[in-house]
Amino acid sequence: MTSSHGSPSKCEDNKQQESRLNIDVPMTSQLNSNATESPRSLKRSAFAELMAPKPKQSKTASQIENNKSTPSNGPLMSLPPNLHAYQNGLLPYVHQPESCTPGTIVRTTENTVLIRDAFPKGLVHLLLIPRDPEWYVLTPFEAFSPASTERQKLDKHMAFLQLIREEAGSAANLAASELSRLVSPYSTSCKARHDALEGDDPPATLPEGRDFRSEIKIGVHAQPSMATLHIHIMSGENHSDKLKNKKHYNSFNTNFFIPLDDFPLMEDDNLMDKVEQDSLVKGDMKCWRCGKNFGNKFKQLKEHLEDEYNAWRSI
């Protein structure tokens, strides 16, 4: 279930291994590096630049602090008294960014906040959160598949869906760049490009590398665990010590995880039915890569996933 927004991310040269995404800066156009650019300039990858030391409080954080409760085109919001309750755990990233762990907020735009998932289920796992309470209080179905026949309301929701698709697409390019940084040193298909970048006389045109962008998926859960609307932007290899049980696995590897491109859903789509949602999470666990059925045997699946991860990483 991989979405296909934006252009492919090429293999980057970076010797850091197995580290987590840790940036707090605006998006830059440098992430989509072109193969015709100077090979010397490509040696400093977009992510290397983004990972450079930043001031303690970034410009974006300051901007949010000055406007943290006033979403665009909306009234001043009254924050819930249980702001830090589990189900409201994403709201501080919108309204109190200064209280969040440094490095957790990746990027802030006028309309969204992009953060690192605190419990990632893959090498790269980001969450995109709308800043406007008119939207973030809705479920994915309410926001992206509204049950309304009013043309004006439908147009408004479809415009919001398009906005989220665009912001999620640019965030996916960022995620692909990070995935490239983590995987490229081990990837056979990245070797020629990597060697060319490392050479004393790099060619004018670099060899093609692995398409990491195609390995980023964008979607939502049919039944989110958090009250605030959020979109998952993540790699799909399931390599994480936070992947601890059957529910974790099936929620990202069955139709319970709905690609953003599938919206709006049909009115009679069975994914809107809670019984169907529960059956997806409680069903058999199948390997995301080879399809082998592990039933309820999570320990065996976890061991198998490690083998699949090493094979996938080496492609």
Side-chain angles (χ1 to χ4, degrees):
M1 293 182 285
T2 303
S3 301
S4 57
H5 306 291
S7 57
S9 171
K10 303 300 182 183
C11 302
E12 306 285 334
D13 172 36
N14 195 308
K15 296 181 180 178
Q16 293 181 341
Q17 303 173 4
E18 304 291 307
S19 61
R20 292 290 179 188
L21 193 68
N22 187 17
I23 53 177
D24 186 7
V25 294
M27 187 72 166
T28 75
S29 60
Q30 295 173 327
L31 289 175
N32 296 319
S33 55
N34 191 314
T36 60
E37 293 177 23
S38 165
R40 292 293 184 187
S41 67
L42 284 172
K43 281 199 171 186
R44 180 174 173 85
S45 70
F47 238 87
E49 187 146 336
L50 288 170
M51 294 287 285
K54 306 299 183 301
K56 195 166 186 179
Q57 183 178 22
S58 70
K59 183 179 179 181
T60 40
S62 300
Q63 290 171 338
I64 301 171
E65 171 64 18
N66 293 332
N67 193 31
K68 63 186 180 184
S69 296
T70 310
S72 58
N73 302 318
L76 189 69
M77 180 193 176
S78 177
L79 299 180
N82 58 340
L83 179 63
H84 294 280
Y86 173 76
Q87 286 197 321
N88 291 326
L90 297 178
L91 284 181
Y93 296 108
V94 177
H95 295 286
Q96 296 180 346
E98 74 287 350
S99 70
C100 301
T101 303
T104 304
I105 297 177
V106 175
R107 182 192 72 185
T108 301
T109 70
E110 179 183 358
N111 300 295
T112 63
V113 177
L114 181 67
I115 68 170
R116 294 168 37 183
D117 194 305
F119 303 95
K121 302 306 186 292
L123 282 178
V124 181
H125 192 169
L126 308 177
L127 301 179
L128 186 71
I129 310 167
R131 293 182 62 196
D132 192 330
E134 178 182 3
W135 299 111
Y136 72 54
V137 297
L138 303 180
T139 67
F141 296 140
E142 292 169 341
F144 304 135
S145 293
S148 174
T149 57
E150 297 179 27
R151 171 52 58 185
Q152 186 174 4
K153 182 175 181 180
L154 287 172
D155 287 346
K156 184 177 181 180
H157 279 256
M158 292 306 98
F160 175 66
L161 174 58
Q162 182 58 30
L163 169 70
I164 293 300
R165 280 178 176 161
E166 292 172 359
E167 299 228 1
S170 66
N173 289 336
L174 183 59
S177 183
E178 172 68 344
L179 187 62
S180 171
R181 185 181 71 84
L182 295 172
V183 174
S184 291
Y186 310 95
S187 176
T188 302
S189 57
C190 290
K191 187 177 187 306
R193 185 179 176 91
H194 183 273
D195 290 348
L197 282 167
E198 284 292 295
D200 294 331
D201 187 22
T205 301
L206 291 168
E208 289 292 319
R210 185 168 167 177
D211 181 9
F212 287 101
R213 177 61 185 82
S214 68
E215 302 189 54
I216 299 297
K217 58 185 184 180
I218 304 172
V220 298
H221 283 149
Q223 191 181 137
S225 59
M226 309 292 283
T228 307
L229 179 64
H230 58 283
I231 295 85
H232 297 269
I233 300 159
M234 61 189 297
S235 54
E237 83 298 323
N238 298 282
H239 184 70
S240 172
D241 59 1
K242 304 299 183 183
L243 188 70
K244 295 183 176 181
N245 55 52
K246 179 179 182 177
K247 182 177 180 181
H248 286 170
Y249 183 78
N250 277 350
S251 65
F252 287 100
N253 293 281
T254 67
N255 288 336
F256 189 85
F257 184 87
I258 309 173
L260 193 62
D261 274 350
D262 285 3
F263 287 97
L265 302 180
M266 299 296 290
E267 291 183 11
D268 59 349
D269 196 304
N270 61 0
L271 286 175
M272 296 187 183
D273 180 66
K274 190 176 186 304
V275 174
E276 174 66 15
Q277 296 168 5
D278 291 343
S279 70
L280 290 169
V281 174
K282 296 176 181 178
D284 289 353
M285 296 176 291
K286 298 177 182 179
C287 175
W288 69 277
R289 194 160 183 260
C290 72
K292 183 177 179 179
N293 192 329
F294 286 84
N296 293 317
K297 300 174 182 177
F298 182 76
K299 182 179 179 181
Q300 288 88 331
L301 170 67
K302 190 74 171 175
E303 293 171 352
H304 177 78
L305 289 177
E306 187 65 20
D307 293 336
E308 290 286 22
Y309 166 68
N310 289 326
W312 165 84
R313 186 176 65 168
S314 67
I315 295 173

